[in-house]
Amino acid sequence: MYLLILTLPLLSTIFSGLGGRWIGGRGAAILSTTSIIITFLLSCFVFYEVTLLKTPCLIELSPWIITETYNLHWGFLFDTLTAVMLIVVTSISSLVHLYSTEYMGHDPHLPRFMSYLSFFTFFMLILVTADNFLQMFVGWEGVGLCSYLLINFWYGRLQANKAALKAMFVNRIGDFGLAIAIFTMYLYFQNLDYSVVFSLSPFYFDQTLPFFNINISLLDFIGFFLFIGAVGKSAQLGLHTWLPDAMEGPTPVSALIHAATMVTAGVFLICRCSPLLQFAPNVSIIITVVGGMTAFFAATTGLLQNDLKRVIAYSTCSQLGYMVFAAGLSSYSVSVFHLSNHAFFKALLFLGAGAVIHAMGDEQDMRKMGGLVKILPFTYSTMVIGSLALMGFPFLTGFYSKDLILELAYGSFTVEGRFVHTLGTLAAFFTAYYSTRLLSLTFLRSPNGNRYFYEHAHESPLPMALPLFLLSLGSIFIGYISRDMFVGLGTDFWGNALFTLPTKQYMLESEWLDASVKMIPLFFSFSGVGLALFHYLYSFNFLFRLKQSEYGRALYTFLNRKWFFDKVYNEWINQSLLNVAYTQTYQNMDRGLLEFLGPQGFASQIYLYTNKITQISLGFTYHLLLLLLFSLIIFLIFFGGWAFIFPFFDAHVIILLILIVFFISL
């Protein structure tokens, strides 16, 4: 049964992809959706056995890599962390598959699309169920490949091509860091199994390794490069630029990959490696600071985005920052708790945005919408639920995890904790502001779009509406239902899946914080909602005047240009590398030195002299006589020919013969 969870998505991929011509788009959609739903039901049974009955499972299939010192097997680990991720991945994937049957039903390449979705689900399951780092890396690279295929699904669009390549290249930077960490593990631990590496980590606490003539901690080195891999996959500050551009793919792709599953792979990696990272305190500080800065940066950037999906994409990046700095504070259970909660309301927002785009004739600019609350009341209700959960509105799903993360940051009583608490609180204000802005521009303001689309706009059909309804229920109740089980005081839910040192457990301190401290995020969230409603419903001219002022224009340019990250990468780094590659590599090396030594140099000279020799061999009589003369002279001078023929001919006779030959040749 456990292996059937991995087998069904793979079979769905094969039959939908290779047999799409015979079963058709509708057949491929039904086959893949049914397979993923069965996978979800099996995952629920695994969750019951592993977490509630406390029976983790390890399955070893067959040998994979056999060496003299180490034997690596295909193994699948089903512990509490894996069971939770299975529920998240398969549930969201099932709803996205069902949603796609209608949203992509008009597309002639529907079988290929469903095959890609199932293929992604398969690799994601490989990633979360692996029992060693190398097998996890296979799933890690697999989801990157599927991300490229899905973003570039509409390959006829130039922007889709560029976005897919950007996602691939940026993720390769993080993957390279993860590969370095895996190589170092094998070099020192002589093993890649989770159980072996994590059990040996405390004994290597004082171990150092030379790095650029500097001795640094082995665990800090491994942990840092593990985090580089997480930065690329989870779109943290510095390697975040691919995530907003990835919205060029179909909306179900955004919901599945860039909201609930793939982008959370980095957070999963950090939490999985908790027994190692607990003994790398310097790396934990870096993780905390980067996560807090990511949350703040993405929240400020999302303020001025006009594309409906890009606003939600930056909110995803911001929420990933919350998860990361919670893990940096050693609150791994709270990080996974927010991960599972975020999956539901963020998938709800993306699918709701897809319903709006579908109704408005593929229009994504919020400035060309408005007044949809009367036309799409159900979609509006779901978007409100998702937005309130994202803001951390009391008693919705996001409230239980988001506010808890901020309380833990404050209750850690560390410098980095207070730093990320400040950034996270400000990010909560901006999150509430741009979420309310999205609702106002899309639904509440007066209509500002094409009349034709308004006349033909309608609510989504049942295959699209049902996932929205189920995700709405999850966005309301999941946090309340699972809070005590996931992060309650004294809970033994996680068992050995997550490890935290006793000195880094801040849950008790956060519970006894003053009520005024706990109310700070809520106050900032309500302030953001009120300010956005005032600006976009009652005093829109104020924003226009602010943008026209000197400082307002500078701030608008700074935020609208995404903190100039893309400008720095494109003009300073990418363009400089391209210039060096063109001038030095191409012009000087390829078209210069190599051409001189190759086709345009040595080879051309050989060709030239070969032609001259050929002309001589095919020439006139005087040429042959002249050649004979020169040959005779060389023979006489260099090979002792003079001494050989001197006894038979007088010197005057020989000179006379040479002169005769010379004049004849003339």
Side-chain angles (χ1 to χ4, degrees), residues 100 104 109-118 150 153 250 252-253:
S100 301
M104 300 292 293
H109 303 290
L110 180 61
R112 178 164 60 90
F113 183 77
M114 304 305 293
S115 177
Y116 288 168
L117 287 182
S118 299
L150 287 167
F153 177 74
V253 174

Side-chain angles (χ1 to χ4, degrees), residues 574-595:
N574 297 344
Q575 195 61 44
S576 300
L577 292 175
L578 288 174
N579 290 335
V580 170
Y582 180 77
T583 57
Q584 301 300 326
T585 305
Y586 178 73
Q587 287 188 330
N588 295 338
M589 292 294 296
D590 188 24
R591 303 296 298 176
L593 180 62
L594 295 179
E595 286 288 340

Side-chain angles (χ1 to χ4, degrees), residues 310-320 342 346 390 434:
R310 283 182 180 265
V311 175
I312 306 174
Y314 276 108
S315 74
T316 300
C317 191
S318 180
Q319 297 304 307
L320 288 169
H342 170 264
K346 189 51 59 71
L390 174 64
Y434 66 66

Side-chain angles (χ1 to χ4, degrees), residues 56-269:
C57 179
L58 176 62
I59 302 174
E60 289 189 356
L61 284 185
S62 60
W64 182 15
I65 300 175
I66 300 177
T67 65
E68 294 182 356
T69 58
Y70 178 51
N71 294 336
L72 184 65
H73 291 77
W74 283 103
F76 301 96
L77 174 65
F78 294 88
D79 61 355
T80 306
L81 181 59
T82 301
V84 172
M85 292 299 297
L86 285 178
I87 292 292
V88 172
V89 173
T90 56
S91 61
I92 302 300
S93 181
S94 301
L95 296 175
V96 169
H97 274 75
L98 179 60
Y99 185 92
S100 301
T101 59
E102 182 64 33
Y103 187 88
M104 300 292 293
H106 64 282
D107 198 291
H109 303 290
L110 180 61
R112 178 164 60 90
F113 183 77
M114 304 305 293
S115 177
Y116 288 168
L117 287 182
S118 299
F119 204 35
F120 170 82
T121 306
F122 167 73
F123 276 119
M124 194 67 198
L125 295 177
I126 289 289
L127 192 156
V128 300
T129 59
D131 75 329
N132 60 81
F133 283 97
L134 192 59
Q135 187 175 326
M136 183 271 296
F137 191 73
V138 173
W140 190 275
E141 292 297 307
V143 295
L145 170 64
C146 294
S147 173
Y148 171 82
L149 295 174
L150 287 167
I151 296 171
N152 200 29
F153 177 74
W154 289 320
Y155 52 82
R157 298 168 55 182
L158 178 61
Q159 291 301 320
N161 299 151
K162 294 166 65 176
L165 288 173
K166 187 176 184 178
M168 177 68 75
F169 290 143
V170 174
N171 273 277
R172 292 293 76 76
I173 299 174
D175 298 348
F176 182 70
L178 179 58
I180 291 176
I182 294 174
F183 295 153
T184 308
M185 286 181 200
Y186 183 74
L187 180 63
Y188 283 87
F189 294 100
Q190 295 296 308
N191 208 298
L192 292 177
D193 292 347
Y194 291 154
S195 57
V196 177
V197 172
F198 296 156
S199 60
L200 292 178
S201 294
F203 301 98
Y204 285 82
F205 180 71
D206 296 326
Q207 179 73 38
T208 61
L209 58 82
F211 186 71
F212 288 100
N213 293 326
I214 302 175
N215 290 327
I216 61 176
S217 171
L218 172 65
L219 298 184
D220 281 341
F221 182 87
I222 295 175
F224 176 76
F225 281 101
L226 284 173
F227 178 59
I228 293 296
V231 166
K233 196 67 73 178
S234 291
Q236 296 299 288
L237 190 66
L239 298 179
H240 67 279
T241 56
W242 69 271
L243 183 61
D245 292 343
M247 298 300 110
E248 294 295 333
T251 302
V253 174
S254 304
L256 178 62
I257 294 181
H258 311 116
T261 51
M262 174 183 161
V263 291
T264 59
V267 180
F268 168 80
L269 175 65

